[in-house]
Amino acid sequence: YSDPEDAGALYLARRDGKAVACGAVKRIDGATAEIKRMWVSPGARGQGVAKALLADLEAEAAKLGLTPKQYAVELMKLEARNG
């Protein structure tokens, strides 16, 4: 994201010093964000990492005063339930 003032946030989840998941909140406009780049390593899947990461990303968007685009949130929730 090119402008740090407007960008959003990037999260990196670690376990025992190793990256196991990441995700981002990208500002679309003054009120809307998109949750992007969610990834969980195969060894950490099925352990609630994606669900926790998504909750943190949604909370970050709210902290920034943004509402995540609903279609993206629903897609991420589906992926979190399945992996």
Side-chain angles (χ1 to χ4, degrees), residues 35-38 54 72-80:
I35 295 176
K36 301 182 62 94
R37 309 288 187 238
M38 264 190 70
L54 180 58
V73 172
E74 292 305 317
L75 176 61
M76 296 298 177
K77 284 181 180 175
L78 176 63
E79 290 177 357

Side-chain angles (χ1 to χ4, degrees), residues 22-37:
C22 64
V25 175
K26 180 181 179 188
R27 183 184 302 269
I28 294 174
D29 57 35
T32 311
E34 186 173 9
I35 295 176
K36 301 182 62 94
R37 309 288 187 238

Side-chain angles (χ1 to χ4, degrees), residues 20-81:
V20 295
C22 64
V25 175
K26 180 181 179 188
R27 183 184 302 269
I28 294 174
D29 57 35
T32 311
E34 186 173 9
I35 295 176
K36 301 182 62 94
R37 309 288 187 238
M38 264 190 70
W39 169 83
V40 177
S41 69
R45 293 179 185 163
Q47 300 172 31
V49 175
K51 185 177 181 178
L53 177 60
L54 180 58
D56 287 345
L57 292 171
E58 288 179 299
E60 182 67 27
K63 187 171 91 175
L64 295 170
L66 304 171
T67 302
K69 291 193 100 161
Q70 195 58 38
Y71 75 87
V73 172
E74 292 305 317
L75 176 61
M76 296 298 177
K77 284 181 180 175
L78 176 63
E79 290 177 357
R81 281 194 302 267

